[in-house]
Amino acid sequence: MNDENYMRIALELAKKGMGYVNPNPMVGAVIVKNGRIIGKGYHQKYGELHAERMAFADCTENCDGATIYVTLEPCCHYGKTPPCTDAIIEHKISRVVIGSSDPNPLVSGKGVKILRDNGIEVVEGVLKNECDDINEIFIHYITTKRPFVTMKYAMTADGKIASYTGDSKWITCEKTREYSHIDRLKHSAIMIGYGTAAADNPRLTYRGEGGRNPIRIVCDSNLKISVDSNIVQSADKIPTILVACHSNPEKEEILKKHGCRIIMTEPDNGRVNLYELMSIIGRENIDSVLLEGGGELNWAALKSGIVSKVKIYMAPKIFGGAGAKTPVSGTGISSPDNAFLLKDTKISRIYDDILIEGRVVNVHGNN
């Protein structure tokens, strides 16, 4: 076993915190002594012990002279828990192997310096790309204070999200739909527009085992959503935010009585100002948003510059139809030279379907 092998174990541990640690990062730690793993841990829930302290609590013997593998640079400041650098020093660890540097200004480089100043050998950048990838949300949020927005949609091979009749159930296979629910667990919030809420009457819940539901956000400029909708009827059990830009005091009171929270933004061409909305919820520790809207909301999100990543689940089907809905509608761009670009693209197979994902190059928007 070498450094990369142990770091891979730490990475798998870190992923167990998905959906429970936001807006903190997912972190895993492994303690090795004389070629044996003597302790393992990961950050399990926001506000609880960090991975390093969990690993020390799991230790089966004295840690003197051991090596600890951590997917993210150990913290060195007091937050909801004490500094992990203190615990490493107190347990007389002789070597620390780190995957990612912490982008948090309170930590960045400082944790490594403290460890080295105390005579501890530090190795940085082991499986850095993999360690960075699992915390793309945290890295974005801690450096911008704005949510990481993933635009997700399912489409056919000819780019349709519904048939010409409007029927969209189902485009991808059942296994893919189950897999894609992990996206809801990973993000703090899920967002749709009024059109999707009216057409599909969704619940926007996480249906996997042992997970938690994301905060639900509906962009509804005039608060047209039905009080009888699944979203409003369950707002007393699942945090629900309705976002408008035109006041409707009477409807607002009714919705609030059902447990909905109302956020008002300035109008942006008569609709919700998405850029302003991201600033508002970013200040409330909502670090990520999964956008599962229709074509109009997707276009507005791209145009406003809030989208960080796109995930496309493509089924090997062809619908056809000049009027059939597409994933991104709106006005569109005027020429290919003005297209929204994706970088760092990845293509993978998900059962019978294909997943395409990439980071958005936001040359059009403000983000």
Side-chain angles (χ1 to χ4, degrees):
M1 295 278 281
N2 57 26
D3 286 350
E4 289 193 357
N5 295 139
Y6 289 121
M7 188 61 76
R8 289 194 192 283
I9 295 172
L11 269 167
E12 291 307 308
L13 287 167
K15 293 174 186 177
K16 292 183 177 182
M18 182 187 296
Y20 302 98
V21 300
N22 306 60
N24 279 356
M26 291 181 279
V27 185
V30 176
I31 301 171
V32 178
K33 185 174 182 179
N34 298 324
R36 296 175 294 107
I37 294 176
I38 62 171
K40 295 187 293 186
Y42 67 97
H43 185 30
Q44 297 183 6
K45 189 176 181 181
Y46 177 69
E48 295 185 358
L49 291 179
H50 288 183
E52 297 93 326
R53 290 183 179 273
M54 292 296 291
F56 287 128
D58 182 61
C59 265
T60 57
E61 60 185 81
N62 191 295
C63 296
D64 284 13
T67 296
I68 186 168
Y69 295 83
V70 191
T71 56
L72 184 70
E73 179 180 359
C75 67
C76 56
H77 67 292
Y78 280 88
K80 289 186 176 295
T81 59
C84 289
T85 49
D86 287 359
I88 291 171
I89 294 166
E90 289 165 5
H91 283 85
K92 298 181 179 179
I93 293 290
S94 65
R95 184 170 179 261
V96 178
V97 181
I98 298 169
S100 296
S101 297
D102 194 329
N104 187 342
L106 294 173
V107 180
S108 186
K110 298 181 179 70
V112 169
K113 184 178 186 303
I114 288 172
L115 295 173
R116 286 178 173 154
D117 286 349
N118 279 271
I120 298 171
E121 178 188 355
V122 179
V123 178
E124 299 180 77
V126 175
L127 298 185
K128 175 178 169 53
N129 290 340
E130 291 92 330
C131 292
D132 285 350
D133 281 348
I134 67 166
N135 280 316
E136 60 182 356
I137 287 174
F138 169 73
I139 292 170
H140 174 88
Y141 181 68
I142 201 69
T143 55
T144 67
K145 297 303 179 185
R146 297 175 61 80
F148 184 97
V149 178
T150 301
M151 188 172 80
K152 165 196 164 185
Y153 53 84
M155 72 175 191
T156 62
D158 59 336
K160 306 297 184 182
I161 61 172
S163 67
Y164 78 90
T165 64
D167 190 359
S168 61
K169 292 182 173 56
W170 294 103
I171 292 176
T172 54
C173 69
E174 183 179 357
K175 292 292 186 181
T176 298
R177 296 196 301 275
E178 291 174 1
Y179 175 89
S180 70
H181 260 256
I182 296 173
D183 294 328
R184 292 187 178 185
L185 178 62
K186 184 177 182 180
H187 293 76
S188 293
I190 182 171
M191 185 167 78
I192 62 171
Y194 164 72
T196 299
D200 298 343
N201 193 22
R203 296 182 184 277
L204 303 182
T205 55
Y206 174 68
R207 293 191 285 275
E209 292 184 10
R212 60 101 184 100
N213 291 316
I215 297 167
R216 302 178 303 187
I217 302 175
V218 181
C219 294
D220 184 4
S221 301
N222 298 289
L223 291 179
K224 291 182 179 179
I225 192 167
S226 171
V227 174
D228 295 326
S229 66
N230 287 326
I231 288 175
V232 175
Q233 287 298 310
S234 58
D236 60 335
K237 301 178 182 65
I238 304 171
T240 302
I241 300 172
L242 304 179
V243 190
C245 58
H246 302 294
S247 182
N248 185 341
E250 185 177 342
K251 185 69 174 287
E252 287 177 37
E253 284 306 310
I254 295 172
L255 293 168
K256 287 178 181 177
K257 286 179 180 178
H258 281 80
C260 298
R261 177 189 170 196
I262 312 296
I263 290 180
M264 301 294 295
T265 73
E266 291 297 321
D268 180 10
N269 292 320
R271 296 188 176 185
V272 168
N273 187 315
L274 296 177
Y275 192 81
E276 180 187 355
L277 174 61
M278 293 304 109
S279 296
I280 292 170
I281 64 176
R283 291 194 291 269
E284 299 178 4
N285 279 347
I286 296 178
D287 66 350
S288 52
V289 175
L290 179 64
L291 180 59
E292 289 194 4
E296 289 292 335
L297 184 59
N298 286 345
W299 168 252
L302 283 168
K303 188 180 177 184
S304 67
I306 68 169
V307 181
S308 304
K309 187 175 186 177
V310 177
K311 296 190 75 170
I312 306 161
Y313 292 89
M314 188 171 72
K317 301 175 181 177
I318 295 176
F319 283 1
K325 293 181 179 180
T326 59
V328 182
S329 51
T331 306
I333 53 100
S334 58
S335 74
D337 291 340
N338 296 325
F340 290 88
L341 304 178
L342 300 182
K343 65 178 181 178
D344 302 328
T345 53
K346 299 176 184 177
I347 300 176
S348 53
R349 183 142 187 186
I350 308 294
Y351 301 100
D352 294 330
D353 304 317
I354 295 171
L355 171 61
I356 304 170
E357 49 190 324
R359 299 291 294 270
V360 178
V361 180
N362 268 314
V363 295
H364 298 259
N366 304 300
N367 194 16

